[in-house]
Amino acid sequence: MNARSRTVIAAALVLGITSGPVAAHAAPAPVPAELAAPVVRTPPNAAALEKAIAGLGPEHRDATAALVRVGGTSGSWRGSSGVADIRTGRDAVEQGRFRAGSVTKTFTSAVVLQLAAEGRVDLDRPVRSYLPATVPDTYSTVTVRQLLNYTSGIPAADGPGDSFEAQWQHRFDITDPHAQLANAFAKKPEFTPGSAQHYLNIDYTVLGVLIEKVTGTTYEEAVARRILKPLGLRQTSFPARTQTKIHGPHNRGYQAVVKADGSRELRDVTEWNSSDRWAAGDIISTTADLERFTIALFSGRIVPKAQLEEMFTVPAVKDFVSGKDATLTAGMSRMVLPDGTVAWGKTGGRHGYNTAIGGTRDLSRTLVYSVNSTDAKGQDMNPVALGIVMAAFAK
């Protein structure tokens, strides 16, 4: 694959890792299932996948470890590389748990769409009618669907800052989602609801509160009852509000930091409070669990097929940041590879961890990976992750 193709894929897959997505191609209307992508008939290219994750560890520029599962009706491949921690140099734990970041949004979206299927949530109803004490009149026209596909116009809540050092200093802060919402709702809308798309966590924070209001339980329990337990996702969990550790076997995450003398330090960022992301990005899982979830989701076994179309429907608007056609759906995104293959899925980034789930809509090819990126929140896609995607969908 040539350099231009690599650039196209990287631009499309950076969705969910940065707040300003860039699209390679986009569709303003739903794509019928039978036309969503060419069927992938060839088995996974094992040699290309092994090469993509070779040589990872503390000396590698971009990642210390990677866990990969490629599946689908065309065949499967499993692989891992790198180290579980740079202090001992022990091999990466293939079934290790990790922070999956914004992949959480796919779970959140699925629960909301289940509630819609049950008639308990109307996607075209203003969210203020469900949460009158939370959503002010300024945002009275914002609908549930606009939260799901990031077209609400609600601005982000204030945080400690975008730099790694600023976030590092506040890594153990405990964040109240209601305080985040009050902060965001005190600001003016970024745009008229439904007129543009802006990928921000705040939409899914509102949806987390909505889930709690409608179900009468916590967000975490609602997801567990409706998705984790029925699918047997025993290695998937949500950390408690005060929790900073990843419990169970896991590969430690690191952030590359340039010191005053110009040397490079790998700072351990495994322990981190993720309450500031909550329903938008604090899930912990494994590649096996996320693969099972992806297959069940695409198959219509989690969300009824009528509501599942929301996850494969891109709104006909422009991206607020780039001005290009939108690519995000309700909890996922659409990407067209250079050979015409259409892939759907979600990426996520937490310091030390980059994650992705997805595949072709016909499930002829699926992909789940966790890469222990040394700059997981960087503006560009991690090169190791890009190599994995290229190898996974190579024909």
Side-chain angles (χ1 to χ4, degrees), residues 138-149:
T138 309
Y139 293 92
S140 61
T141 64
V142 173
T143 67
V144 177
R145 178 178 279 109
Q146 289 166 349
L147 293 173
L148 285 168
N149 62 24

Side-chain angles (χ1 to χ4, degrees), residues 43-389:
N45 187 326
L49 286 162
E50 289 171 1
K51 181 179 179 180
I53 62 173
L56 304 187
E59 301 305 319
H60 194 281
R61 177 179 175 82
D62 301 304
T64 57
L67 312 176
V68 183
R69 294 176 75 93
V70 179
T73 57
S74 57
S76 62
W77 184 88
R78 312 281 183 266
S80 63
S81 177
V83 298
D85 69 83
I86 63 174
R87 182 179 60 84
T88 66
R90 60 190 178 93
D91 289 343
V93 182
E94 187 170 1
Q95 298 302 321
R97 301 174 186 178
F98 49 82
R99 301 189 190 280
S102 287
V103 169
T104 307
K105 293 181 177 71
T106 314
F107 286 77
T108 302
S109 179
V111 171
V112 173
L113 293 173
Q114 285 181 352
L115 294 172
E118 295 163 10
R120 301 173 68 183
V121 168
D122 183 341
L123 300 185
D124 292 314
R125 183 177 171 184
V127 70
R128 188 170 189 265
S129 65
Y130 296 100
L131 302 172
T134 301
V135 182
D137 186 62
T138 309
Y139 293 92
S140 61
T141 64
V142 173
T143 67
V144 177
R145 178 178 279 109
Q146 289 166 349
L147 293 173
L148 285 168
N149 62 24
Y150 313 95
T151 60
S152 71
I154 303 171
D158 295 328
D162 293 332
S163 72
F164 168 72
E165 289 298 345
Q167 294 178 32
W168 171 261
Q169 294 300 320
H170 292 271
R171 67 192 182 282
F172 297 137
D173 289 1
I174 300 173
T175 304
D176 178 1
H178 293 276
Q180 284 186 312
L181 295 184
N183 180 280
F185 284 134
K187 303 175 184 180
K188 294 180 180 180
E190 289 189 322
F191 49 81
T192 302
S195 66
Q197 185 175 79
H198 192 183
Y199 179 73
L200 293 173
N201 289 326
I202 197 68
D203 292 311
Y204 278 70
T205 302
V206 180
L207 290 173
V209 174
L210 173 66
I211 288 170
E212 293 193 329
K213 179 65 177 293
V214 174
T215 63
T217 187
T218 66
Y219 163 78
E220 294 83 358
E221 181 59 25
V223 177
R225 288 180 184 178
R226 290 171 168 272
I227 299 177
L228 306 189
K229 292 177 182 178
L231 290 182
L233 306 184
R234 297 180 178 85
Q235 308 306 314
T236 302
S237 62
F238 294 89
R241 192 68 56 81
T242 59
Q243 182 177 315
T244 61
K245 296 182 178 181
I246 300 175
H247 294 287
H250 60 278
N251 301 314
R252 302 194 71 81
Y254 300 90
Q255 172 72 28
V257 178
V258 178
K259 296 191 293 186
D261 62 1
S263 62
R264 181 174 180 262
E265 167 198 2
L266 287 180
R267 191 177 300 177
D268 194 324
V269 293
T270 309
E271 295 185 15
W272 203 290
N273 184 292
S274 57
S275 60
D276 63 327
R277 296 298 187 263
W278 192 48
D282 73 348
I283 202 168
I284 292 172
S285 192
T286 64
T287 54
D289 270 13
L290 291 181
E291 182 180 61
R292 181 179 298 181
F293 169 73
T294 301
I295 294 170
L297 181 68
F298 281 41
S299 300
R301 292 192 284 116
I302 297 176
V303 177
K305 291 190 176 181
Q307 287 71 34
L308 186 60
E309 283 303 313
E310 296 291 334
M311 294 184 128
F312 295 98
T313 300
V314 180
V317 297
K318 300 292 185 180
D319 177 74
F320 180 69
V321 176
S322 70
K324 297 183 179 181
D325 289 337
T327 58
L328 302 172
T329 71
M332 293 203 296
S333 64
R334 180 179 187 265
M335 180 185 67
V336 182
L337 301 178
D339 65 359
T341 299
V342 178
W344 303 85
K346 187 73 187 77
T347 58
R350 296 292 292 163
H351 289 298
Y353 304 89
N354 280 142
T355 303
I357 64 171
T360 58
R361 190 168 179 181
D362 62 10
L363 289 174
S364 58
R365 178 60 45 84
T366 62
L367 170 64
V368 175
Y369 67 71
S370 170
V371 173
N372 289 88
S373 169
T374 55
D375 188 20
K377 301 295 287 184
Q379 290 297 305
D380 297 323
M381 185 179 182
N382 180 273
V384 175
L386 174 59
I388 291 169
V389 173

